[in-house]
Amino acid sequence: MPEYTLRIRRFDPDSGQAAHWDEHTVEMAETQSVLDAILKIRNEVDGSIGIRCSCQQAICGSCGVRMNGKPGLACNTHLHEAALRGHGTGWNPPEAGQRTHLIDVEPMGNMPVIRDLIVDMDAVHWKKVQRVTPWLLAKEPVPEREYIVPHENMVDVTQTMACIQCGSCVSDCLAMEVDPLFIGPAALSKAYRFVGDPRDAQHFERLKDLAEDPHGIYDCTHCFNCIDACPKGVDPMSQIMRLRRKAGSDHDIEDRNNGYRHEHAFVNNIKRNGILHESDLLADSYGGKFNPNAGRELVSGLPTAMRGLARGKMTVKKLLLHEHKASGEIKRVFDTVEGRSERVELNLYVTGYEDEPEEASAEHREPPAETSVPQSESESENA
Amino acid sequence: MKVAYWPGCVSRGFTPELHGAMAKVAPLLDIELIELDRASCCGAGVIAEHSQELADTLNARTFALAQKTDGAMMMNICSTCQGAQSECQERLDANTEYREHVNRTLAEEGLRYEKDAARPFTNKNFLWLLVEEIGLENLKARVKRPLTDLKVGPFYGCYIVRPVSRLGIDEEHPRDRYMHWVIEALGGTVIDYAGVYKCCGFPIITMNKEASLTQAGRHLGDAIDAQADCLVVPCPLCHLNLDLQQPAAAKVVGRDLGLPVLHLPQLVGLALGLSPKELGMNKHIVRPTSVIDWSTSVVAGSAA
């Protein structure tokens, strides 16, 4: 059986001692889990190691930890897999030649450590989940019997319902790292679960609240860490983008954080110019050149622009005019797609991948309306 | 090799030095660039956030234009283009019905994005092309002025390293190590610091300026503390937050910064013998003094 070396980060905030790493070597099959190894060490060598776990089947979401720099569940990560982990984190790079046996285990990030591998989920994660009103605000009148919900709507929210509240995505959220008040990936995914549910009566109010909050849906930096972190395929960042789409396009919520304006300014900028005209985008994101808010922002950005001009990075001509204009073909793509009566979306979580028969066959359901592909009017012409 | 070349928007807008440097470096590596001048912005994730179909159609159009050239593949010089386009390509390739739906919009222009299993459509950032097509040995052989004693911190950002499965990062293609390898192949010293794989903050600069600049300032500070002479980025949007906004970021994090940030083609160009000025480094906001000092120093001079 292969040998694995686990380096476990130990810390007891009450002890007054600094954190340190304990190293243990175990002989175990490569398909046993990191949790198996931790429990073996705890049972046989050091009973004082703090780890939270329960089901050991990736259902309860208790054993979230960082393994070689990447968050996940200790119970569904094979030792072999954990040792190779570290892509996108620089941990155990292939050059170091230790990729096959060394596993660093530490508590999740963005949350205070209670002891060793146990973090305070209440202080951060659960507080944020409560922030989004995580229950159904039912439509009135309440029917005598059950609500009838279109199947496609339920399929649409199943992805967020797969969340087991393990906190892995919260651990590595880079927006939360600099803005601890950011509502964050797990709670915002939970918010989509109700915004996407037709039984809920307060879609607009929920979206308005999350769009207006300076730490809400427009605070996400698009870093994709939560997508890679999630052991259940929830794709929290994609849910945040869905919330933005619904807030901006379905409910026309013009928030005070410039989220709506930035998105619409960007789309119109490309429609007009084909490629981005940055200085226009900047002004329009703040409400247009003549908007008082824009004035303030642009004045505060003036030193930046002056430095750009001084170094020849920008020219006055480039700031004010844009030589590039969108071709008729690009405009036509915009007109065709924006002119559709129904939004066309493909959610790969629902439809699966054609070339991977196993995954595709796991989903026998009909695609929901939003993800189905309507027949184009011009189909017969092109056929 | 011949490639269909997508420079993106920002390399022709606020970071013109990037487009210029790529044009100078390509012939030194025997890369022939066929510029896709009719293509549109990739959407940078923002168009996809507004309308997924719009982003997918615009990028399918870019792919179709690339397929019409005789380039061996498509090459970009912007991580954000790479990430946004890979996301669209993933959807287009995964579902025939959806692909045909998008192609119907393109048909009026006589364009069509083909998915051919025998000859899959490939779109690679310059970084990937450098390692996988040109090869590190080949690159090494062309170095005229090794980056000896230049301490370079790689800054990968987000779009080119996550999600790992979509970007084809695995044991066989550790694309999240390629910048480390390129720096070493050019003779430089890699500086590891906390921000190597973090976000520059650019996507939220108009929504939450303080959080955005805190990100940029923190990573720059960490690299300075790790003794880096400069950073290198594969993405012009990272360059905007790390260089153009660096004086503002310094104020937000409350410390002096002043760390030069190089575009990847500039770093390669330096080692291939081009001067900082030829590579447009005079256009940077943070004067690349440490890099210029290095390029005129005895060490670098003697190797030339």
Side-chain angles (χ1 to χ4, degrees):
Chain A
M1 267 192 297
E3 234 177 40
Y4 291 95
T5 300
L6 270 74
R7 289 201 308 179
I8 301 175
R9 192 175 191 274
R10 308 294 305 272
F11 180 52
D12 181 357
D14 296 332
S15 71
Q17 305 291 311
H20 66 277
W21 296 86
D22 271 356
E23 207 169 292
H24 300 278
T25 298
V26 288
E27 225 177 84
M28 288 178 96
E30 59 177 37
T31 50
Q32 286 205 268
S33 74
V34 174
L35 184 62
D36 289 336
I38 296 169
L39 294 181
K40 186 180 162 76
I41 295 163
R42 192 179 71 174
N43 292 341
E44 296 174 9
V45 186
D46 182 352
S48 72
I49 296 172
I51 171 94
R52 183 161 44 204
C53 65
S54 176
C55 79
Q56 306 191 28
Q57 315 184 43
I59 293 167
C60 74
S62 311
C63 64
V65 289
R66 268 191 188 149
M67 294 156 284
N68 279 350
K70 276 200 141 183
L73 298 173
C75 73
N76 81 336
T77 307
H78 289 167
L79 286 164
H80 167 72
E81 187 198 321
L84 292 177
R85 238 169 141 102
H87 283 304
T89 59
W91 224 269
N92 275 355
E95 304 91 300
Q98 294 183 312
R99 279 174 91 86
T100 48
H101 68 270
L102 187 65
I103 304 168
D104 281 359
V105 190
E106 56 183 328
M108 292 193 289
N110 280 332
M111 287 176 273
V113 175
I114 293 176
R115 195 160 67 83
D116 299 339
L117 304 173
I118 304 168
V119 296
D120 192 346
M121 298 279 284
D122 288 341
V124 180
H125 173 71
W126 290 112
K127 202 171 264 180
K128 288 173 187 296
V129 170
Q130 281 162 16
R131 161 72 185 80
V132 303
T133 321
W135 59 87
L136 195 83
L137 299 163
K139 272 183 183 156
E140 302 283 344
V142 176
E144 269 179 43
R145 294 190 56 201
E146 68 271 40
Y147 282 100
I148 307 293
V149 178
H151 180 67
E152 51 269 26
N153 286 106
M154 284 328 282
V155 176
D156 180 50
V157 293
T158 46
Q159 192 172 11
T160 60
M161 287 159 75
C163 175
I164 55 169
Q165 312 295 336
C166 68
S168 292
C169 59
V170 174
S171 161
D172 280 40
C173 173
L174 293 179
M176 212 182 281
E177 193 178 272
V178 290
D179 177 7
L181 294 175
F182 177 43
I183 297 175
L188 289 173
S189 298
K190 179 56 84 185
Y192 183 76
R193 190 251 167 275
F194 298 102
V195 167
D197 191 323
R199 293 169 297 181
D200 193 271
Q202 304 208 14
H203 294 166
F204 172 80
E205 291 79 359
R206 286 175 186 275
L207 287 165
K208 174 100 177 146
D209 174 40
L210 297 173
E212 294 286 7
D213 190 324
H215 314 284
I217 50 177
Y218 293 111
D219 206 16
C220 161
T221 69
H222 257 244
C223 76
F224 299 90
N225 253 354
C226 57
I227 293 183
D228 271 354
C230 180
K232 296 303 230 183
V234 172
D235 273 12
M237 195 186 105
S238 307
Q239 310 307 334
I240 298 173
M241 295 309 128
R242 287 201 176 100
L243 289 170
R244 287 187 185 179
R245 207 172 295 150
K246 282 194 184 283
S249 298
D250 295 356
H251 296 276
D252 291 314
I253 296 167
E254 290 195 39
D255 58 285
R256 58 179 166 179
N257 303 306
N258 301 315
Y260 174 92
R261 276 190 292 273
H262 178 68
E263 180 192 311
H264 285 77
F266 193 104
V267 174
N268 291 328
N269 195 305
I270 306 305
K271 186 177 182 177
R272 213 164 47 232
N273 304 312
I275 62 171
L276 191 65
H277 184 201
E278 294 117 323
S279 58
D280 258 10
L281 173 69
L282 218 53
D284 291 344
S285 293
Y286 294 120
K289 285 180 190 129
F290 304 109
N291 184 304
N293 291 329
R296 201 169 50 234
E297 281 297 336
L298 293 177
V299 167
S300 80
L302 215 53
T304 308
M306 294 312 288
R307 278 190 290 266
L309 284 167
R311 304 309 304 264
K313 179 181 269 295
M314 304 165 186
T315 59
V316 175
K317 200 170 150 199
K318 217 152 85 179
L319 286 176
L320 299 177
L321 302 167
H322 195 52
E323 287 155 0
H324 202 281
K325 290 283 166 265
S327 63
E329 282 78 24
I330 294 172
K331 286 206 168 80
R332 197 181 42 73
V333 169
F334 274 84
D335 290 339
T336 307
V337 176
E338 292 190 320
R340 293 199 201 290
S341 53
E342 201 183 348
R343 186 156 59 216
V344 179
E345 263 183 54
L346 183 80
N347 183 347
L348 292 173
Y349 181 83
V350 177
T351 60
Y353 298 79
E354 259 167 24
D355 292 336
E356 292 168 52
E358 273 181 26
E359 278 190 38
S361 63
E363 304 286 345
H364 280 305
R365 315 177 188 104
E366 288 292 310
E370 264 204 354
T371 60
S372 70
V373 179
Q375 296 301 304
S376 156
E377 302 86 359
S378 59
E379 196 195 12
S380 51
E381 293 163 34
N382 296 324
Chain B
M1 74 182 297
K2 221 187 228 187
V3 293
Y5 171 49
W6 171 239
C9 306
V10 179
S11 76
R12 292 175 285 177
F14 280 0
T15 64
E17 68 278 4
L18 167 58
H19 189 36
M22 191 64 237
K24 291 243 165 61
V25 166
L28 301 179
L29 294 167
D30 295 322
I31 305 174
E32 194 183 326
L33 305 173
I34 314 164
E35 193 169 327
L36 297 169
D37 48 11
R38 286 168 59 205
S40 69
C41 168
C42 72
V46 184
I47 293 185
E49 153 194 335
H50 176 75
S51 160
Q52 203 189 65
E53 188 197 355
L54 187 54
D56 290 351
T57 312
L58 290 171
N59 284 310
R61 186 174 170 276
T62 304
F63 303 157
L65 289 168
Q67 284 180 326
K68 275 194 140 181
T69 69
D70 61 346
M73 59 182 61
M74 181 170 141
M75 183 185 94
N76 64 74
I77 48 171
C78 169
S79 300
T80 304
C81 291
Q82 180 73 61
Q85 290 174 335
S86 294
E87 183 180 334
C88 294
Q89 194 188 347
E90 183 179 47
R91 280 191 290 266
L92 292 165
D93 287 350
N95 191 304
T96 308
E97 204 187 340
Y98 183 68
R99 187 168 61 251
E100 288 312 310
H101 170 77
V102 168
N103 271 330
R104 276 194 290 275
T105 310
L106 301 182
E108 285 180 52
E109 198 186 331
L111 288 175
R112 190 178 158 73
Y113 167 62
E114 295 287 355
K115 184 196 172 190
D116 180 357
R119 214 176 142 265
F121 176 67
T122 313
N123 172 26
K124 286 188 183 179
N125 183 275
F126 175 56
L127 175 65
W128 300 353
L129 189 112
L130 209 48
V131 176
E132 294 168 5
E133 308 297 327
I134 311 270
L136 291 171
E137 287 309 313
N138 186 355
L139 176 66
K140 247 186 226 171
R142 290 166 196 253
V143 170
K144 289 222 174 87
R145 188 170 54 184
L147 305 179
T148 315
D149 292 336
L150 188 68
K151 289 176 287 196
V152 188
F155 186 90
Y156 286 85
C158 307
Y159 275 87
I160 204 169
V161 284
R162 288 182 291 270
V164 290
S165 59
R166 184 188 295 153
L167 292 165
I169 299 175
D170 52 33
E171 280 301 292
E172 230 173 287
H173 306 94
R175 289 171 163 173
D176 55 342
R177 302 299 295 174
Y178 284 3
M179 255 190 329
H180 291 69
W181 293 356
V182 168
I183 294 166
E184 280 167 4
L186 300 176
T189 307
V190 175
I191 296 293
D192 261 311
Y193 61 102
V196 176
Y197 299 102
K198 290 191 176 175
C199 174
C200 69
F202 181 77
I204 53 169
I205 186 84
T206 53
M207 276 88 88
N208 189 341
K209 203 170 192 171
E210 196 185 333
S212 173
L213 294 178
T214 306
Q215 286 181 298
R218 211 178 261 190
H219 309 327
L220 288 161
D222 285 342
I224 291 168
D225 293 345
Q227 313 293 322
D229 292 322
C230 64
L231 292 187
V232 60
V233 293
C235 176
L237 304 184
C238 294
H239 199 270
L240 290 181
N241 239 33
L242 296 172
D243 177 67
L244 179 65
Q245 299 282 3
Q246 194 176 127
K251 274 191 195 143
V252 171
V253 295
R255 63 176 283 184
D256 287 337
L257 295 171
L259 184 69
V261 184
L262 270 55
H263 300 283
L264 179 63
Q266 288 178 326
L267 190 80
V268 175
L270 268 183
L272 298 186
L274 297 169
S275 73
K277 191 156 186 203
E278 281 176 287
L279 294 163
M281 286 188 207
N282 51 323
K283 289 200 163 74
H284 291 188
I285 295 305
V286 179
R287 291 178 190 270
T289 317
S290 56
V291 180
I292 290 169
D293 286 352
W294 167 84
S295 72
T296 53
S297 73
V298 182
V299 180
S302 66

